[in-house]
Amino acid sequence: MPPATLDPVASAAIITRAREGRTPRPLDFPAGLRPRDAAEAYAVQDAVVRARGEIAGWKVGAASPQAQPARAALARDSVWVAAAGEAVALSAAGFAVMGVEAELVYELGADLPARATPYSAAEVLAAVVSVRAAIEVCDTRFAAWAQQGEWSRLADQACHGALIVGAGVTDVAAVQPLAQAVTLSVNGAVAVQHATWGNPAGDPLRLLVWLANEGARSLGGLRAGHWVTTGSCTGTVLVAPGAEVVADFPGLGQAVLHLP
């Protein structure tokens, strides 16, 4: 007998209610509502973000330069763009877990809607109007961190908590990510530092092209004004309430986050 078809809306409601504090956080989805593959995980994830509201951006990453990328759509209520030279302050009470990562974010200035003909790398890059330093806060709607299977974590917006977009550059062609240094500091002390690109996915342009051609299709494609963060350059560093986090990409920009 074939397995029952997953109801992604019912699955999404489990973690939506937990995020809103209406029900206790589960350890995982109930067995009958647990995604069994990437397609089911994305269907749940899409239902989660539709319930949250307008899409403001995306996260995309891969385990290696050859690995299949994965993505999550980010709702407006979890994306924060800092004013020039300023920090973003987010209450630590709003997170169950605070894992911080230094990332590069690409700002889109043109729509890249789903279409039959794949976008070329040149077309995708031409739609980018700035590259910024960013901090992603990783979080979970489950009762314990990283205790679920990969499809449950992917369904939970790939463990997204918040995206803080900092300073950057508009000369997109001049950005050389594979040669880009990065430092992630917590409370004034260096937590992680790389002299060159620390992102295991390799060239982020591959991720952007995959997102435009495949990853964003189910939600209508990429739009002008979306922010696309292309994965951690530092790994995930768990921090405590009260932390000040700085992601510094020398020659490009900084993002600063306070977690009172």
Side-chain angles (χ1 to χ4, degrees), residues 195-249:
T196 56
W197 195 233
N199 189 319
D203 189 349
L205 182 56
R206 178 180 82 97
L207 304 177
L208 292 171
V209 172
W210 174 85
L211 186 65
N213 287 327
E214 299 181 47
R217 271 184 174 274
S218 63
L219 288 170
L222 304 177
R223 300 296 177 191
H226 281 179
W227 302 94
V228 181
T229 184
T230 52
S232 177
C233 301
T234 56
T236 306
V237 176
L238 295 176
V239 299
E244 178 183 86
V245 182
V246 179
D248 180 32
F249 292 85

Side-chain angles (χ1 to χ4, degrees), residues 110-166:
D111 292 348
L112 294 172
R115 71 181 193 187
T117 304
Y119 290 101
S120 67
E123 287 178 298
V124 173
L125 197 58
V128 176
V129 292
S130 76
V131 185
R132 311 280 190 99
I135 297 167
E136 185 183 17
V137 182
C138 297
D139 195 8
T140 180
R141 270 50 64 176
F142 296 115
W145 175 250
Q147 299 301 304
Q148 303 75 33
E150 64 175 314
W151 306 129
S152 290
R153 296 195 301 274
L154 182 60
D156 185 28
Q157 287 185 282
C159 304
H160 172 71
L163 179 67
I164 292 80
V165 179

Side-chain angles (χ1 to χ4, degrees), residues 19-162:
R19 174 177 59 83
E20 294 173 348
R22 292 188 284 149
T23 60
R25 291 171 179 261
L27 186 60
D28 201 337
F29 293 102
L33 294 175
R34 191 173 301 159
R36 295 159 291 192
D37 55 27
E40 290 188 344
Y42 284 133
V44 177
Q45 189 194 106
D46 289 356
V48 167
V49 80
R50 286 189 185 104
R52 290 190 75 155
E54 178 189 2
I55 294 173
W58 302 79
K59 62 181 288 184
V60 60
S64 74
Q66 295 77 38
Q68 173 74 7
R71 59 79 163 166
L74 311 182
R76 180 70 59 191
D77 65 356
S78 71
V79 178
W80 307 82
V81 182
E86 294 187 1
V88 168
L90 299 177
S91 172
F95 302 96
V97 174
M98 293 178 292
V100 295
E101 301 177 346
E103 308 193 358
L104 280 188
V105 167
Y106 291 75
E107 180 189 7
L108 295 179
D111 292 348
L112 294 172
R115 71 181 193 187
T117 304
Y119 290 101
S120 67
E123 287 178 298
V124 173
L125 197 58
V128 176
V129 292
S130 76
V131 185
R132 311 280 190 99
I135 297 167
E136 185 183 17
V137 182
C138 297
D139 195 8
T140 180
R141 270 50 64 176
F142 296 115
W145 175 250
Q147 299 301 304
Q148 303 75 33
E150 64 175 314
W151 306 129
S152 290
R153 296 195 301 274
L154 182 60
D156 185 28
Q157 287 185 282
C159 304
H160 172 71

